[in-house]
Amino acid sequence: MSKSLGNVINPIEVIDQYGSDALRMGIVAGRAPAVNRGYDSRRVEEARNFCNKLWNIARYCESAVGKGYKPGSKPEPKSAADHWMLLKLQQSTETLEQYLDEYRFAEAYELLYHFVWDEVADWYIEASKSQESREVLGYVLESVLKLAHPFAPFVTETIWQTLYSDTDSMLITAAWPKIPAGSKKEASEFEELRAIIIETRGLVKSLGLSKPNLYYTDVPFLADNTDILKRLGALGKVAEVESGTGLQLTSTKYDCWLDVDSDTLKAYGQKLVEQGRGTGQGAAGLASTLG
């Protein structure tokens, strides 16, 4: 809880505890025109965590990219994840710029927060551990620092000066990023990967599975992304077969299924019935998804 003098917040004490960038973003977060909202220390804590996330992303990128990367380098996407990230980065940059031009600072901050946390950290960084692209990874970090600078000027400038100390450049004078578009076709392939991974994670947890195998028929791009699927989807083997039976995935248009036997699936359906979360017909319907 933030310290205060009566009902007055002492900003110096908040800065000492959370940092000036966190206070700056915490005050902006959740605001709406013509809505009077009081100070919320939870928003400042979230902003402090966001600053920590920026540091963690920077540390990983520094170790993966190395010291040779120079700001302003042209990204060369190689994988579906690279194209997806550049497309998302382009879209987020354009929307963020529009929000700032229209003085919609709270919306701009929320967009930045979720883009960095959800799409950069949770998906692209994790995907890059299986398919590293040095140029794109460095470019994404450089662009994220530029986008976050209006909201967290001290943290982002410090990261910039630490990473690019041999360039004599300053983030505050850097140009706003103009993002080259990634391939929409390859980006859509990564969207399919994400859908498959999210569904398999849920099924693994719900059915109590231990690294089940994923099989598919006639999905060429999955062969290039087996490592990502196995690591992020909590899977064992990922392989193409001509035909087979199992628990068909419903989140993707492609023919993919988990190697789950009918007894396991029926037991899970019965568990849902006993917990009051399903009916007999629901359990039977679940069992019928076995192809």
Side-chain angles (χ1 to χ4, degrees):
M1 181 65 68
S2 302
K3 299 178 181 179
S4 62
L5 303 174
N7 293 324
V8 179
I9 303 299
N10 185 337
I12 302 302
E13 294 181 354
V14 177
I15 290 172
D16 288 341
Q17 183 175 3
Y18 297 107
S20 57
D21 283 343
L23 176 59
R24 179 189 183 98
M25 291 185 287
I27 291 174
V28 169
R31 301 295 168 181
V35 178
N36 186 15
R37 291 188 178 180
Y39 171 81
D40 189 344
S41 63
R42 294 172 299 179
R43 290 292 194 169
V44 180
E45 292 177 13
E46 290 174 358
R48 186 268 316 275
N49 295 339
F50 179 71
C51 291
N52 290 339
K53 178 62 71 172
L54 288 174
W55 275 108
N56 292 336
I57 291 173
R59 285 196 194 98
Y60 171 76
C61 291
E62 181 182 21
S63 63
V65 174
K67 291 292 186 180
Y69 180 83
K70 304 292 183 183
S73 299
K74 183 179 179 181
E76 297 179 1
K78 300 175 182 177
S79 66
D82 290 342
H83 286 279
W84 175 85
M85 185 73 264
L86 287 178
L87 189 63
K88 290 293 183 180
L89 182 58
Q90 182 191 53
Q91 294 169 346
S92 298
T93 300
E94 291 175 352
T95 305
L96 184 64
E97 184 174 6
Q98 178 185 343
Y99 285 162
L100 292 176
D101 287 343
E102 296 172 354
Y103 303 102
R104 296 159 65 181
F105 301 126
E107 292 171 81
Y109 171 67
E110 291 296 329
L111 184 150
L112 174 72
Y113 181 95
H114 290 290
F115 169 69
V116 172
W117 203 292
D118 301 338
E119 296 177 335
V120 176
D122 287 355
W123 283 104
Y124 184 65
I125 294 293
E126 291 303 316
S128 72
K129 294 177 181 178
S130 296
Q131 296 177 334
E132 182 181 308
S133 177
R134 180 178 177 274
E135 294 81 6
V136 177
L137 195 60
Y139 185 81
V140 169
L141 173 60
E142 175 190 342
S143 300
V144 164
L145 292 176
K146 291 179 179 179
L147 298 180
H149 188 64
F151 303 92
F154 297 102
V155 168
T156 53
E157 188 70 71
T158 300
I159 294 173
W160 185 279
Q161 295 295 330
T162 301
L163 294 177
Y164 313 127
S165 58
D166 58 341
T167 64
D168 296 326
S169 67
M170 296 184 65
L171 179 55
I172 195 172
T173 61
W176 190 254
K178 299 295 182 182
I179 312 299
S183 165
K184 290 184 178 181
K185 178 181 180 298
E186 296 205 43
S188 67
E189 291 179 355
F190 190 74
E191 285 288 0
E192 290 291 339
L193 289 175
R194 290 176 72 241
I196 292 170
I197 289 168
I198 291 170
E199 185 174 4
T200 57
R201 283 174 176 174
L203 291 171
V204 165
K205 181 178 180 180
S206 297
L207 276 71
L209 305 175
S210 177
K211 292 187 176 299
N213 297 330
L214 175 71
Y215 297 111
Y216 61 90
T217 299
D218 193 25
V219 193
F221 73 88
L222 290 186
D224 298 326
N225 295 279
T226 55
D227 288 342
I228 293 177
L229 287 167
K230 288 166 63 176
R231 193 166 57 81
L232 299 186
L235 298 170
K237 181 170 65 173
V238 176
E240 181 174 15
V241 295
E242 292 184 359
S243 62
T245 60
L247 179 57
Q248 195 77 21
L249 301 187
T250 60
S251 61
T252 177
K253 62 184 179 181
Y254 296 104
D255 189 16
C256 308
W257 63 91
L258 287 180
D259 185 19
V260 182
D261 62 86
S262 58
D263 290 340
T264 298
L265 197 57
K266 290 177 182 177
Y268 177 64
Q270 183 60 37
K271 179 181 177 181
L272 291 181
V273 173
E274 293 172 355
Q275 292 178 342
R277 296 169 55 190
T279 63
Q281 291 84 357
L286 185 62
S288 70
T289 61
L290 280 168

